[in-house]
Amino acid sequence: MSTEVALPVFIPLLAGVLSLMLWRSRKWQRRLAILGTGLLLASTLWLLSSTLDQGFVVLQLGGWAAPFGITLVADLLSAVMAVITGLIGFAIALYSLGTIPDRHEKFGYYPLMHLLLAGVAGSFLTGDIFNLFVWFEVMLLASFALLTLGGERAQMEGAIKYVTLNLFSSALFLSAIGLTYGLTGTLNMADLAYKLSQVEHTGMVNVVALMFMISFGIKAAAFPLFFWLPASYHTPQVAVSALFAGLLTKVGVYALYRLFTLVFVGDTGYTHTILLWSAALTMLTGVLGAAAQFEFRRILSFHIVSQIGYIMLGLALYTPLALLGGIFYLVHNIIAKTNLFLISGLTYRLLGSYDLKKLGGVYRERPGIAILFLVSALGLAGIPPLSGFFAKFLVIKAAVEVEAWVAVVVALSVSFMTLYSMIKIWAQVFWKPVPEDVDATRLRSKERDPGMVWLLTPIIGLAALVVLFGVWAEPLYQVSSDAAAQLLNPAGYIEAVLGVTP
Amino acid sequence: METLMAYAIGVLFGCAVYMMLRRSIVKLVIGLIILSNAANLLIFAVSGMTRGAPPLIPEGMQLPEGAIADPLPQALVLTAIVIAFGVLAFSVVLIHRAFEVVETDDLDQMKDTDT
């Protein structure tokens, strides 16, 4: 029995249910938020350590052997993603204690947060494609509710776009699952990997592969179906934005990584070329969109899109180094991006706005906060010695090795434009004096704000990780390298799940 | 039967996309409902339709006699229906709320709610 692979799903589900039972007691819901996410982080670390020991951790639910039952399986990629889920969940729970207004807490913010984390962790750990669909829906439904919590006017348009596009992509996902089942008669991913290679009608396999690609592409906010993301991510509470920014699109990317390294590898010349173009255009459109914006969280939202492009590039190139870079990038990006969103919430608390034109003077009054921003922003742009440097270096080096020059040029120029956007925020929010018509009493006041510690603790922790993965990148590099090796050799995964070599 | 179903599903997908491309948010949700039904029917159709053969094993035997219907697609469709039901219930509430605060059901006029 390997219980550790079920715990990251079970703990947030249990915490969510308990929070629902404690509906009236906000005090206990808050305690449970810390306890539940803390335990989640601990259990994912346990999972990572046993994955490092054994290579794969497999649990056949209910004792039904694969491919008949549902399998939970963790390889290194899943385990790393689970750890990040725990980490971000814990950081967001701390941050929520200081920022979520009473009204949102009353309407079930904490239960929804736990259920969202359960959906994310379930998606990372399942080995069954229909089960993946179910976890996607758990996650989506929680995210719908979190996104619209409060029901304000500005949230509506973004929410409708978000809900429509995601439901459309779910229907496509479901249709693709149906067609896959019709082709092969199985839904277990390891079993599919073998059986799809035996299907005679390869044209149909490509059709199904593309349906999966489009469906996950929408969820990952890849070009050309990304526009729901910048329309909606800046509208909810900042803790919610940060949670979405860190984890939700990455689940789509993870699903692409899983399916296009394990299942659909028969015709990589076709599928991965499409991924390559999509990745390049995603990077470019995201960063160009950001250049035109003057709202803190909107700029960051467009950058989520552009960073997804880098991660997809790692998958599209499909070499050991590229996958290594992609996984490294995934980890770095989740941490840096979440932290930037958290900092935008911090400046909002001080100056009451997300509009760059109504912000300013933070460096003069609070240099510590400015340094925290600078670390994350330069990390995102890829300045050494921060974590983004190695992430970008690895992906671009992989592109140079296979002579994908267009991708190299796009990746490098997008990197410069990311720096431009970050400097724009730096100059507007931190460097320039406070605009005259802005009330800056909170910024200038010397009194200690007791709620501030909840905001600062996660931000300092995540910023420290951005530095740590830059100056001491070796462990993460090693884990990513092993994870990439596992992805490129699916036989190990298949054998671990099915117990036999097909 | 399969051919007829294939056409029916195709028409349903077509209707769903048509409805989703219209401006009214109510029609958008109707489109989403039709879309999820079309996807469910698709699972049924592609996994083979067998009539009048429940997947039951007679007493005292290890295997069913003759051809049986595959129970798995039915379980999948059932799960998918439940999920779609929940999600669509949410979207109905969402458009109701959107109509309340924006006071229009035209997607084009909703654009300016966003700052």
Side-chain angles (χ1 to χ4, degrees):
Chain A
M1 272 294 275
S2 9
T3 35
E4 63 266 40
V5 66
L7 282 180
V9 185
F10 181 69
I11 291 172
L13 269 182
L14 185 71
V17 171
L18 285 178
S19 310
L20 279 175
M21 287 160 76
L22 299 167
W23 184 262
R24 283 164 191 281
S25 163
R26 296 218 309 278
K27 192 174 76 182
W28 278 99
Q29 282 191 25
R30 294 163 71 105
R31 285 179 188 168
L32 208 59
I34 298 295
L35 186 70
T37 51
L39 281 176
L40 173 64
L41 180 57
S43 72
T44 54
L45 286 172
W46 179 22
L47 175 65
L48 182 63
S49 83
S50 45
T51 317
L52 284 171
D53 279 350
Q54 306 163 23
F56 298 93
V57 183
V58 180
L59 176 67
Q60 313 283 2
L61 288 183
W64 291 89
F68 303 109
I70 289 172
T71 312
L72 287 183
V73 50
D75 65 349
L76 268 176
L77 174 64
S78 304
V80 168
M81 295 306 288
V83 171
I84 290 289
T85 308
L87 183 72
I88 297 297
F90 189 54
I92 297 294
L94 289 177
Y95 195 87
S96 304
L97 293 188
T99 54
I100 296 296
D102 289 353
R103 207 161 64 87
H104 288 69
E105 283 186 341
K106 246 184 236 165
F107 279 102
Y109 171 80
Y110 292 114
L112 287 168
M113 183 191 78
H114 289 302
L115 293 177
L116 184 82
L117 289 173
V120 173
S123 310
F124 288 147
L125 293 174
T126 183
D128 181 284
I129 204 157
F130 189 78
N131 200 233
L132 180 67
F133 169 76
V134 174
W135 287 121
F136 259 110
E137 295 300 305
V138 170
M139 177 183 94
L140 278 182
L141 201 51
S143 74
F144 290 166
L146 281 175
L147 188 69
T148 48
L149 211 59
E152 282 153 30
R153 202 176 136 85
Q155 291 176 312
M156 287 304 146
E157 193 220 352
I160 287 176
K161 275 186 190 162
Y162 180 88
V163 170
T164 310
L165 253 290
N166 276 298
L167 288 187
F168 180 75
S169 115
S170 294
L172 205 58
F173 187 9
L174 193 59
S175 309
I177 289 174
L179 291 173
T180 316
Y181 185 73
L183 276 175
T184 60
T186 183
L187 292 168
N188 185 291
M189 287 197 237
D191 201 24
L192 268 181
Y194 170 68
K195 288 206 173 127
L196 269 180
S197 63
Q198 306 296 310
V199 172
E200 285 168 15
H201 198 28
T202 51
M204 197 60 197
V205 176
N206 274 345
V207 169
V208 174
L210 279 189
M211 284 175 79
F212 278 117
M213 195 192 288
I214 295 170
S215 152
F216 295 141
I218 293 176
K219 291 188 199 290
F223 182 86
L225 296 159
F226 60 88
F227 48 82
W228 56 268
L229 190 149
S232 56
Y233 272 27
H234 65 287
T235 55
Q237 288 293 314
V238 68
V240 177
S241 290
L243 189 59
F244 286 12
L247 295 177
L248 287 199
T249 49
K250 309 308 183 290
V251 180
V253 178
Y254 164 82
L256 282 175
Y257 263 73
R258 178 59 71 219
L259 285 190
F260 286 87
T261 58
L262 176 66
V263 180
F264 298 110
V265 286
D267 195 358
T268 47
Y270 178 65
T271 49
H272 288 61
T273 310
I274 298 178
L275 279 174
L276 183 66
W277 282 105
S278 170
L281 288 167
T282 307
M283 283 191 262
L284 205 59
T285 43
V287 86
L288 288 176
Q293 302 298 326
F294 275 92
E295 210 258 24
F296 205 150
R297 287 196 286 173
R298 271 191 169 234
I299 297 177
L300 295 178
S301 304
F302 272 103
H303 276 290
I304 300 176
V305 177
S306 125
Q307 309 288 327
I308 292 290
Y310 281 99
I311 305 171
M312 276 173 67
L313 183 61
L315 173 63
L317 296 171
Y318 200 54
T319 63
L321 188 66
L323 285 174
L324 193 182
I327 296 166
F328 195 105
Y329 207 111
L330 204 51
V331 174
H332 140 74
N333 184 241
I334 292 177
I335 296 173
K337 179 62 75 184
T338 307
N339 209 23
L340 285 171
F341 268 93
L342 295 182
I343 293 169
S344 80
L346 198 58
T347 53
Y348 177 78
R349 191 184 177 94
L350 294 172
L351 285 159
S353 176
Y354 288 110
D355 189 345
L356 294 191
K357 292 183 173 135
K358 292 180 187 155
L359 292 163
V362 179
Y363 179 75
R364 195 184 165 83
E365 304 291 337
R366 309 272 172 120
I369 293 172
I371 298 297
L372 287 173
F373 171 79
L374 206 59
V375 165
S376 316
L378 294 182
L380 192 78
I383 305 290
L386 302 164
S387 62
F389 170 70
F390 288 105
K392 277 192 178 144
F393 175 72
L394 290 167
V395 173
I396 292 172
K397 186 173 171 219
V400 171
E401 272 179 7
V402 297
E403 301 185 348
W405 299 117
V406 179
V408 174
V409 172
V410 171
L412 284 173
S413 47
V414 167
S415 188
F416 274 114
M417 288 165 72
T418 309
L419 189 60
Y420 158 73
S421 275
M422 291 303 132
I423 288 175
K424 182 165 85 180
I425 298 179
W426 170 257
Q428 296 280 337
V429 179
F430 297 92
W431 202 248
K432 79 166 187 226
V434 185
E436 280 168 9
D437 52 340
V438 172
D439 170 31
T441 42
R442 279 201 92 151
L443 180 67
R444 296 213 171 97
S445 83
K446 295 285 172 222
E447 274 174 52
R448 277 181 61 85
D449 179 356
M452 208 62 163
V453 62
W454 296 116
L455 283 75
L456 281 172
T457 316
I459 292 176
I460 291 171
L462 292 178
L465 280 178
V466 171
V467 177
L468 185 71
F469 287 144
V471 293
W472 193 42
E474 179 66 23
L476 181 59
Y477 179 91
Q478 203 54 50
V479 170
S480 310
S481 162
D482 293 349
Q486 282 185 348
L487 288 182
L488 278 172
N489 180 19
Y493 183 96
I494 297 172
E495 203 193 324
V497 174
L498 296 180
V500 285
T501 325
Chain B
M1 188 66 188
E2 264 91 354
T3 322
L4 190 66
M5 280 298 283
Y7 279 108
I9 293 164
V11 170
L12 274 179
F13 269 109
C15 293
V17 172
Y18 175 75
M19 289 303 261
M20 286 171 66
L21 291 177
R22 303 189 62 179
R23 277 194 211 139
S24 152
I25 43 176
V26 179
K27 286 174 183 147
L28 174 75
V29 170
I30 295 175
L32 286 173
I33 295 172
I34 299 176
L35 189 69
S36 71
N37 287 340
N40 287 339
L41 280 177
L42 181 72
I43 297 182
F44 250 130
V46 291
S47 47
M49 299 165 100
T50 322
R51 287 188 65 153
L56 298 174
I57 302 172
E59 217 177 321
M61 291 179 66
Q62 293 290 321
L63 291 168
E65 288 172 322
I68 52 157
D70 186 353
L72 190 70
Q74 304 177 24
L76 299 187
V77 171
L78 201 59
T79 316
I81 287 175
V82 174
I83 292 174
F85 185 75
V87 175
L88 291 169
F90 173 83
S91 48
V92 170
V93 175
L94 175 68
I95 61 164
H96 177 69
R97 178 70 193 163
F99 182 74
E100 258 181 6
V101 293
V102 189
E103 291 177 345
T104 172
D105 77 332
D106 188 336
L107 281 169
D108 276 1
Q109 288 173 22
M110 231 175 239
K111 264 196 298 201
D112 54 286
T113 59
D114 199 11
T115 44

